[in-house]
Amino acid sequence: MKKDYKLTPEVHARIATDLYEAEKNNSPIELLTHKYADLTVDDAYAIQQEGLSLRLADGGTVVGRKIGITSRGMMEMLNCDSPDYGYLLAHTEITEGSPCITSDLNAPMIEGELAFVIGEDLIGDSITVADITSAISWVIPCFEICDTRFNDWTITVADTIADNAAASRFMLGTQPKKLSEINPKSIGMVMEKNGTLLGSGTGAEVMGSPITSVTWLAKKLMEYGTYLRKGNIVLSGSFLAGDPIAPGDVYTMTLDGFPPLTMRIE
């Protein structure tokens, strides 16, 4: 598949460094599309890959992937017709029971979703929903903390892809289930904030089913020369709109059939 690049590899690398420094120093930068009006999605994924190389050189370890922009509302807001993806690093996982510390975050928001653990490498140009279904080892409730390395959330899809699809932190529940024990499409979620209902939804909010979003991811990764690996964690997309977090907040997510998952914000 021919890629649509408007920027040079040198510019990709420079932008990736700027984003990495913005994250490390919690010093947000101007939107890329304000400076590079012709930035394409392919440019953005190239920048994301350069950013990953910087993090790996600093000792980071990839443990999986995240999928974003999985709801119709988010696609309309960002004027796109497709989700996006980013990578998850081991050090960004928050252990269940530990707080999310916000002092080194810029404009964090919380989302509730299903995470999947992949049980086999997924390589090929014709990966199907059936392939994904058979490859999933475990299903786990998950909180994702999204953040932006830009001045605000008035982003385009190219901005957010370059910025690792707004990946920041994540927390997994400690009592996973087999996929056969749930229905990803109809499973219900209730989210509470400080003891008050924040919202509710079902897996159908995520591209019709979270399995559909993971299938999209497997195919998209192949387009960019990589693939889902055995043991990867995949955050499949939020059931609800993201909610801005602040110190003192306590979020509890209940997914049908799973124990509640709680995250404290400090």
Side-chain angles (χ1 to χ4, degrees):
M1 181 178 178
K2 186 178 180 180
K3 299 296 188 295
D4 178 22
Y5 297 113
K6 301 298 184 185
L7 307 179
T8 66
E10 292 74 19
V11 175
H12 294 159
R14 184 166 68 247
I15 293 171
T17 299
D18 289 344
L19 284 166
Y20 192 28
E21 293 297 325
E23 181 180 17
K24 289 197 299 183
N25 301 324
N26 194 16
S27 179
I29 63 175
E30 181 185 8
L31 286 176
L32 302 181
T33 47
H34 285 178
K35 187 173 182 179
Y36 305 98
D38 55 353
L39 180 75
T40 68
V41 164
D42 288 328
D43 284 314
Y45 278 120
I47 293 164
Q48 184 187 116
Q49 186 60 38
E50 290 286 348
L52 174 58
S53 296
L54 293 172
R55 288 158 176 81
L56 295 178
D58 268 358
T61 301
V62 175
V63 293
R65 299 283 179 168
K66 64 149 292 182
I67 310 168
I69 322 179
T70 53
S71 70
R72 178 52 52 189
M74 284 299 297
M75 290 183 191
E76 291 175 353
M77 186 179 81
L78 294 178
N79 191 30
C80 64
D81 58 3
S82 174
D84 68 354
Y85 70 78
Y87 50 85
L88 302 175
L89 297 174
H91 74 272
T92 65
E93 182 175 1
I94 301 170
T95 305
E96 183 176 3
S98 299
C100 173
I101 306 299
T102 60
S103 58
D104 57 350
L105 302 180
N106 177 39
M109 296 194 296
I110 192 168
E111 297 179 344
E113 49 200 275
L114 278 178
F116 299 97
V117 178
I118 305 301
E120 61 188 69
D121 290 351
L122 286 164
I123 304 173
D125 296 328
S126 56
I127 294 169
T128 66
V129 168
D131 295 327
I132 298 298
T133 299
S134 64
I136 291 171
S137 295
W138 300 102
V139 185
I140 315 171
C142 175
F143 278 123
E144 182 184 5
I145 302 295
C146 297
D147 198 13
T148 177
R149 270 58 72 170
F150 299 116
N151 291 319
D152 57 48
W153 280 104
T154 58
I155 53 177
T156 71
V157 64
D159 290 305
T160 191
I161 289 171
D163 191 24
N164 194 25
S168 181
R169 305 287 186 270
F170 68 100
M171 174 188 285
L172 302 176
T174 54
Q175 298 185 44
K177 290 182 177 291
K178 292 289 188 180
L179 183 59
S180 59
E181 297 180 80
I182 71 163
N183 184 327
K185 180 176 182 177
S186 62
I187 191 169
M189 172 188 289
V190 173
M191 183 91 83
E192 295 175 287
K193 177 180 182 179
N194 303 327
T196 300
L197 177 66
L198 184 63
S200 62
T202 69
E205 304 292 337
V206 184
M207 297 182 69
S209 169
I211 300 297
T212 304
S213 73
V214 181
T215 306
W216 172 88
L217 173 65
K219 293 179 177 180
K220 198 69 176 178
L221 289 174
M222 291 298 301
E223 288 183 19
Y224 287 97
T226 186
Y227 59 93
L228 282 175
R229 291 169 166 80
K230 180 179 180 179
N232 275 175
I233 301 161
V234 177
L235 312 190
S236 60
S238 180
F239 285 35
L240 305 170
D243 190 61
I245 63 174
D249 288 336
V250 178
Y251 291 86
T252 300
M253 174 179 59
T254 305
L255 271 167
D256 291 344
F258 290 93
L261 181 63
T262 297
M263 179 182 281
R264 294 178 290 111
I265 311 301
E266 295 183 1

